């Protein structure tokens, strides 16, 4: 697990919530008290044995092996810390929780300040009221078996009685997909600025219900942003949404009226003057906010703060698609972000003009398209769209497939097509593929790889980053404002304080500079991090109030929460594998009833390491003979783990996870087993009793086990072994 739950992906390691190491395998493995009660190190069985020294030219001390193991633990911990993985049982010293001072407004950031597309979530409090703004997930987490991360919400437990509602700016997953997990424990009305956003929220609850069985019906309230509808939650908060342009339909900025002034959260935005849907940003309302002069705080999207000028309008791309469709004879595949319905509308427009049918592919894209048609945000002529299963029957020069996977995402539609694993489509050299996107930060390798895969097939490929080389017009514009638009936002709203959001620290620092250019004093530029608690008073001052518990909670493909300790073990196993040592010992005599069983996964191939395995078994037999009768079972297993770790490191310079399993056979049963085993050794018999026959079904026998007669006899005892401690 992540011991330091607040290390940042941007490398900030001096966080005040930094905790202490707390890993059971990483320390005190071979320490035990002496007679005086002090801790001292003592070899579990003996120092480096002569047999080990003779078989390996390099003799490693036990301490060296333990240090190597701790390094592996630390490396795995750093991987976990990179994603700021949060654990509830961690001791968050110095944490500030409930108790906003009277007359102060508090903002607590539980996500959205570590990178682009990160899990956005913040909490606003005044008096006995709290409003949660956005609640998304982070899809960029790169840990084994993890699908995405949602915000840790332990802080909400301390203010549960205050929560009056959720305010959602728009329907992107990094703003809405965490809601089902949080809402079930902290229910309150969910306010949206459009029917489309409301339907996107509802779809997240339906998807989670399908995968996890979590059936929760959210209370949704839609405010008409174009009519400037206001909703007074109570005397502390009044909500209003205003239209803003982005890359998903019906986005909104959020205005929250408080006793200390208005808070404006832009959400993700750009100031597109000619959007394809003819719904430009509500600049008049933004300017009026500035003229009224009561905007306390502007929280603004920092995604493109490093880019000069203005983002080009989406409308300029239509001609590029017209040109490609007119000059193409074969099938056309267009990959784009599943929520970009303006782009999908352009493709449909070009398909209609070229006399082509359209098929949508990708679960997320089909869901968003269905919602968009139902809410009037996507207009498709009757009969224009065909199901994907029927696309194979359409003539090549009459088909366009709109699909996901332009970023090379695993299992996305285009990615499966590019490697020949798609259910319906097999790409061929006569096809044309249009990738209508640029690589998102951190995804450059996958973006390049899918380009290579498509080039190997021989398709005609058009990509936005290389559109001039490919012979076409531009194929993508960003959904986020560049610096000139960001500065215009500051100048229109004229806030007293400016707090950049939605980006890593570097982008938000650049955005802070834009705020200064827009007229905000440098002292009023606020740059918090996830977990930060900021308060404002009625004297025009702001205060850093410390840190709240914050971080990433990991979710797997099934929608289930995964503990960080489990992921850390996966990382350790992925590096050096796992070795299980099974010892079956007669309780009375303390002797092994058979040769030790050894199971290796991801460590070494035992068939190619016969000499090492023979030596290993000899050392295990010696260990049992020297120590088993002298100490209790728990201590014996702990010493055995240390001993095996030392032995394997000395022989291989690797540190697999070691699991010792000790099965004690007592009384006549043990004697009977021993006699039977001796008989098997003499007669070569493979007969087993009923218990062995039942347990043999759950044993995965490897070829190396089968090759060893003793392993074959005792592998069937695994079910009985599972009744013992295997820590």
């Amino acid at each position: 697990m992540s011991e330091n739950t607040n290390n940042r992906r941007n490398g900030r390691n001096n966080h005040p919530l930094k905790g202490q190491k707390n890993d059971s395998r990483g320390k005190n493995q071979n320490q035990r008290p002496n007679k005086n009660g002090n801790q001292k190190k003592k070899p579990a069985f003996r120092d480096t044995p002569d047999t080990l020294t003779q078989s390996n030219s390099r003799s490693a001390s036990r301490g060296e092996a333990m240090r190597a193991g701790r390094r592996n633990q630390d490396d795995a911990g750093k991987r976990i810390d990179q994603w700021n993985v949060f654990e509830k049982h961690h001791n968050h010293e110095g944490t500030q929780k409930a108790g906003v001072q009277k007359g102060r407004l508090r903002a607590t950031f539980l996500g959205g300040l570590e990178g682009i597309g990160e899990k956005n979530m913040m909490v606003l409090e005044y008096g006995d009221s709290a409003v949660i703004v956005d609640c998304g997930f982070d899809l960029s987490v790169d840990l084994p078996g993890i699908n995405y991360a949602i915000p840790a919400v332990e802080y909400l437990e301390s203010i549960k009685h205050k929560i009056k509602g959720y305010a959602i700016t728009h329907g992107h997953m990094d703003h809405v997909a965490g809601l089902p997990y949080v809402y079930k424990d902290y229910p309150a009305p969910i306010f949206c600025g459009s029917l489309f956003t409301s339907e996107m929220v509802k779809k997240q609850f339906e998807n989670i219900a399908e995968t996890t069985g979590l059936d929760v019906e959210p209370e949704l309230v839609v405010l008409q942003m174009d009519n400037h509808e206001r909703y007074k939650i109570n005397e502390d908060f009044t909500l209003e949404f205003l239209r803003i342009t982005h890359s998903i339909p019906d986005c909104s900025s959020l205005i929250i009226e408080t006793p200390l002034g208005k808070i404006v959260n832009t959400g993700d935005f750009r100031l597109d003057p000619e959007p394809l849907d003819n719904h430009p940003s509500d600049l008049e309302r933004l300017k009026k906010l500035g003229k009224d002069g009561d905007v306390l705080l502007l929280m603004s999207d920092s995604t493109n703060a490093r880019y000069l000028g203005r983002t080009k309008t989406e409308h300029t791309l239509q001609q590029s698609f017209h040109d490609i469709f007119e000059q193409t004879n074969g099938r056309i595949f267009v990959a784009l972000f599943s929520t970009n319905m303006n782009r999908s509308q352009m493709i449909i427009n070009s398909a209609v003009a070229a006399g082509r049918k359209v098929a949508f592919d990708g679960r997320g894209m089909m869901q968003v398209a269905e919602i968009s048609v139902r809410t009037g945000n996507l207009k498709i002529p009757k009969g224009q769209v065909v199901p994907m299963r029927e696309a194979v029957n359409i003539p090549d020069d009459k088909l366009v497939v709109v699909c996901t996977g332009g970023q090379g995402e695993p299992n996305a539609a285009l990615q499966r097509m590019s490697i020949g694993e798609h259910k319906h489509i097999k790409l061929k050299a006569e096809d044309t593929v249009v990738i209508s996107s640029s690589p998102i930060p951190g995804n450059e390798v996958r973006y390049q790889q899918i380009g290579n895969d498509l080039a190997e097939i021989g398709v005609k490929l058009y990509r936005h980053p290389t559109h001039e080389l490919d012979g076409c017009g531009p194929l993508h514009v960003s959904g986020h404002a560049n610096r000139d638009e960001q500065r215009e936002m500051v100048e229109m709203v004229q806030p007293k304080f400016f707090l950049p959001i939605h980006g890593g620290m570097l982008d938000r620092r650049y955005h802070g500079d834009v705020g200064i250019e827009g007229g905000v004093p440098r002292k009023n530029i606020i740059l918090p991090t996830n977990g930060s608690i900021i308060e404002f008073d009625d004297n025009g001052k702001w205060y850093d109030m410390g840190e709240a518990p914050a971080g990433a909670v990991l979710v797997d493909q099934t929608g289930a929460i995964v503990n960080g300790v489990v992921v850390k073990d996966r990382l350790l196993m992925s590096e050096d594998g796992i070795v299980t040592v099974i010892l079956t010992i007669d309780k009375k005599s303390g002797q092994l009833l058979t040769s030790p069983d050894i199971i290796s996964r991801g460590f070494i191939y035992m068939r190619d390491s016969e000499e090492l395995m023979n030596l290993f078994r000899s050392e295990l037999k010696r260990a049992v003979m020297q120590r088993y009768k002298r100490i209790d079972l728990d201590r014996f297993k702990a010493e055995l783990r240390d001993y095996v770790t030392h032995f394997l490191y000395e022989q291989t310079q690797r540190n697999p996870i070691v699991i010792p399993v000790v099965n004690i056979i007592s009384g006549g049963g043990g004697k009977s087993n021993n006699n039977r085993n001796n008989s098997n050794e003499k007669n070569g018999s493979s007969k087993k009793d009923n218990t062995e026959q039942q347990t043999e079904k759950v044993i995965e026998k490897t070829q190396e086990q089968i090759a060893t007669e003793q392993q074959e006899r005792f592998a069937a005892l695994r079910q009985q072994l599972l009744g013992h401690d295997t820590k």
Side-chain angles (χ1 to χ4, degrees):
M1 90 165 218
S2 168
E3 296 85 12
N4 176 9
T5 64
N6 285 277
N7 278 355
R8 305 299 180 203
R9 275 183 279 178
N10 61 12
R12 191 170 76 94
N13 295 319
N14 59 343
H15 200 283
L17 297 188
K18 185 173 182 180
Q20 303 297 318
K21 298 291 181 184
N22 182 29
D23 187 84
S24 60
R25 288 194 306 275
K27 63 180 181 180
N28 297 332
Q29 289 288 319
N30 59 338
Q31 293 183 5
R32 59 189 181 88
N34 60 17
K35 293 180 180 180
N36 297 323
N38 299 321
Q39 297 288 329
K40 68 176 183 178
K41 297 214 174 208
K42 182 175 181 179
F45 300 108
R46 56 195 171 99
D47 290 330
T48 306
D50 293 340
T51 52
L52 300 188
T53 307
Q54 293 169 0
S55 65
N56 192 342
S57 59
R58 184 185 186 280
S59 178
S61 69
R62 189 176 304 278
E64 185 179 354
M66 295 299 106
R67 287 192 295 273
R70 284 193 291 272
R71 283 195 298 271
N72 288 350
Q73 294 277 342
D74 290 343
D75 289 344
K78 289 176 182 177
R79 283 282 307 278
I80 297 292
D81 289 342
Q82 177 185 359
W83 302 102
N84 195 21
V85 175
F86 177 89
E87 301 296 346
K88 286 186 177 180
H89 60 266
H90 184 78
N91 181 23
H92 300 281
E93 297 180 1
T95 293
Q96 299 291 325
K97 291 190 177 181
V100 183
Q101 292 188 30
K102 186 175 181 180
R104 285 192 181 184
L105 175 68
R106 171 180 286 189
T108 303
F109 299 89
L110 301 182
L113 302 181
E114 290 184 351
I116 297 168
E118 202 242 329
K119 51 192 189 309
N120 294 283
M121 187 177 185
M122 67 182 70
V123 184
L124 299 175
E125 298 171 64
Y126 187 90
D128 289 327
S129 303
V131 173
I132 298 169
V133 180
D134 289 334
C135 184
F137 72 19
D138 185 347
L139 196 58
S140 67
V141 177
D142 183 19
L143 291 170
I146 300 304
N147 194 19
Y148 53 83
I150 59 176
V153 293
E154 185 181 45
Y155 179 77
L156 297 186
E157 193 63 31
S158 64
I159 62 166
K160 188 173 184 178
H161 63 288
K162 292 185 176 183
I163 300 173
K164 307 303 180 185
Y166 298 79
I168 306 302
T169 58
H170 64 285
H172 272 145
M173 297 300 99
D174 56 325
H175 292 258
V176 302
L179 275 169
Y181 295 93
V182 178
Y183 185 91
K184 66 181 178 64
D185 295 321
Y186 308 101
I190 301 174
F191 297 92
C192 304
S194 68
L195 178 60
F196 177 87
T197 301
S198 174
E199 290 296 310
M200 289 293 289
V201 170
K202 187 184 298 183
K203 181 59 67 175
Q204 300 315 304
F205 281 83
E206 293 172 357
N207 291 342
I208 292 298
E210 289 177 8
T211 56
T212 68
L214 178 64
D215 191 6
V216 179
E217 187 72 25
E219 180 184 353
L220 292 162
V221 180
V222 178
L223 303 183
Q224 299 300 319
M225 60 181 170
D226 291 327
N227 296 332
H228 303 147
E229 182 179 2
R230 299 164 67 247
Y231 188 98
K232 186 172 183 178
I233 293 177
N234 55 23
E235 65 277 5
D236 297 327
F237 293 117
T238 298
L239 303 182
E240 178 188 344
F241 294 92
L242 65 86
R243 183 174 292 279
I244 203 80
T245 48
H246 184 40
S247 57
I248 188 173
D250 290 345
C251 287
S252 57
S253 293
L254 174 65
I255 304 168
I256 303 179
E257 297 179 27
T258 78
L260 300 188
K262 293 186 177 71
I263 296 177
V264 178
N265 183 313
T266 65
D268 290 350
F269 83 98
R270 66 184 177 205
L271 300 180
D272 189 342
E274 295 179 315
L276 195 70
D277 60 8
N278 296 315
H279 292 303
S281 300
D282 192 347
L283 301 186
E284 292 305 314
R285 179 65 178 127
L286 289 169
K287 292 175 182 177
K288 187 177 187 307
L289 288 170
K291 290 178 180 178
D292 291 343
D294 61 348
V295 176
L296 174 70
L297 173 67
L298 171 64
M299 295 186 282
S300 186
D301 174 19
S302 305
T303 302
N304 281 358
R306 66 183 70 184
Y307 300 116
L308 299 173
R310 304 181 72 90
T311 302
K312 291 183 178 180
T313 178
E314 180 90 12
H315 198 276
T316 60
L317 305 183
Q318 183 68 82
Q319 190 60 45
S320 299
F321 292 109
H322 281 330
D323 293 343
I324 292 173
F325 283 30
E326 287 176 3
Q327 67 190 29
T328 300
N329 294 321
R331 297 182 299 183
I332 300 174
F333 298 84
V334 185
L336 43 78
F337 293 112
S338 63
T339 57
N340 197 330
M341 289 297 105
N342 274 343
R343 198 79 50 86
S344 294
Q345 186 67 68
M346 292 185 197
I347 295 164
I348 291 170
N349 295 345
S350 293
V352 170
R356 291 175 178 262
K357 299 289 187 180
V358 176
F360 287 95
D361 195 18
R363 182 170 182 259
M365 175 166 288
M366 294 174 67
Q367 287 184 349
V368 179
E370 186 273 331
I371 292 172
S372 298
V373 170
R374 184 153 39 87
T375 58
N377 294 101
L378 185 64
K379 296 175 174 58
I380 304 176
K382 186 176 180 179
Q384 189 67 38
V385 173
V386 297
M388 194 65 204
R389 64 180 179 273
E390 297 179 10
V392 294
N393 300 321
I394 303 296
D396 287 2
D397 62 349
K398 300 296 181 182
L399 178 65
V400 176
V401 175
V402 184
C403 60
T404 58
Q407 296 290 317
E409 308 97 310
N411 297 319
L414 184 61
Q415 193 271 340
R416 285 184 281 116
M417 293 177 193
S418 71
I419 59 176
E421 295 183 356
H422 193 274
K423 184 177 180 180
H424 302 292
I425 296 294
K426 182 175 180 60
L427 290 176
K428 52 190 177 182
E430 294 78 16
D431 293 329
T432 293
V433 176
V434 181
I435 298 182
S436 183
S437 66
S438 294
I440 60 177
N443 207 38
E444 291 82 2
V445 173
R446 284 179 178 171
Y447 189 90
Q448 185 63 29
Q449 183 58 53
I450 195 167
N452 288 333
D453 293 340
L454 293 168
E456 189 170 337
I457 295 171
V459 303
K460 174 58 180 175
L461 182 60
Y462 296 96
R463 304 186 308 164
H464 177 69
T466 55
H467 70 271
E468 293 177 337
L469 289 175
D470 300 332
C472 68
L475 296 170
H476 178 68
V477 295
S478 174
H480 301 271
N482 285 5
R483 290 177 69 91
D484 285 359
E485 296 157 274
Q486 292 173 344
R487 184 173 59 252
E488 184 178 347
M489 177 65 74
V490 176
E491 292 171 345
M492 285 189 295
V493 174
Q494 299 180 35
K496 180 175 181 59
F497 296 100
F498 179 57
L499 195 154
I501 55 175
H502 303 173
M505 182 57 77
L506 179 59
D507 291 314
R508 291 189 291 112
R509 284 192 178 277
Y510 284 139
H511 200 180
D513 294 338
V514 172
I516 295 171
E517 294 172 7
V520 179
R522 183 177 296 276
K523 66 178 182 178
N524 290 355
I525 305 295
I526 307 172
L527 295 171
T529 57
N530 283 351
S532 293
I533 300 175
I534 304 299
E535 290 186 0
F536 302 88
D537 66 16
D538 55 5
N539 294 318
K541 295 182 179 180
W542 73 274
Y543 305 86
D544 182 350
M545 301 302 294
E547 298 282 335
V553 174
L554 305 177
V555 182
D556 67 14
Q557 295 282 354
T558 69
I561 302 297
V562 182
N563 193 288
V565 174
V566 174
V567 179
K568 185 173 183 179
D569 284 343
R570 291 174 183 172
L571 290 170
L572 290 170
M573 286 187 285
S574 71
E575 291 296 323
D576 285 328
I578 184 171
V579 171
T580 301
V581 174
I582 303 174
L583 304 179
T584 304
I585 301 175
D586 183 271
K587 183 177 181 180
K588 183 175 181 181
S589 67
Q591 300 297 312
L592 283 170
L593 294 178
T594 186
S595 179
D597 290 327
I598 302 168
I599 300 174
S600 170
R601 291 291 183 272
F603 173 55
I604 59 172
Y605 184 49
M606 293 171 63
R607 175 169 286 186
D608 292 342
S609 308
E610 183 177 354
E611 182 179 352
L612 173 60
M613 289 299 101
N614 290 337
L615 178 59
F616 192 7
R617 289 190 177 91
S618 296
E619 291 304 315
L620 289 170
K621 292 175 184 177
R622 194 195 312 257
V624 173
M625 182 175 61
Q626 289 183 356
R627 294 294 288 170
Y628 173 70
K629 296 287 284 185
R630 301 180 183 180
I631 54 178
D632 61 54
L633 180 60
D634 288 340
R635 184 169 161 190
F636 173 76
K637 285 190 289 187
E639 291 186 357
L640 180 65
R641 183 189 297 112
D642 285 352
Y643 179 70
V644 171
T645 298
H646 178 206
F647 172 82
L648 294 177
Y649 181 77
E650 188 171 46
Q651 296 295 314
T652 67
Q653 300 302 296
R654 294 172 63 188
N655 268 284
I657 293 177
V658 175
I659 301 179
V661 181
V662 181
N663 180 47
I664 307 301
I665 304 296
S666 60
K671 184 176 181 180
S672 174
N673 282 342
N674 198 22
N675 290 339
R676 176 173 50 77
N677 292 335
N678 289 338
S679 175
N680 285 347
E681 289 174 0
K682 293 178 181 179
N683 302 325
S685 172
S686 61
K687 183 178 179 181
K688 298 177 176 62
D689 59 21
N690 290 337
T691 301
E692 288 176 303
Q693 291 174 0
Q694 292 173 1
T695 57
E696 187 176 37
K697 295 178 181 179
V698 297
I699 294 298
E700 179 186 356
K701 291 189 176 182
T702 61
Q703 293 181 1
E704 57 266 28
Q705 287 175 293
I706 295 173
T708 306
E709 183 180 10
Q710 291 86 349
Q711 287 176 296
E712 184 180 33
R713 289 197 306 273
F714 279 89
L717 290 171
R718 182 172 183 269
Q719 183 176 356
Q720 185 176 359
L721 300 180
L722 292 176
H724 294 270
D725 181 16
T726 58
K727 292 191 293 183

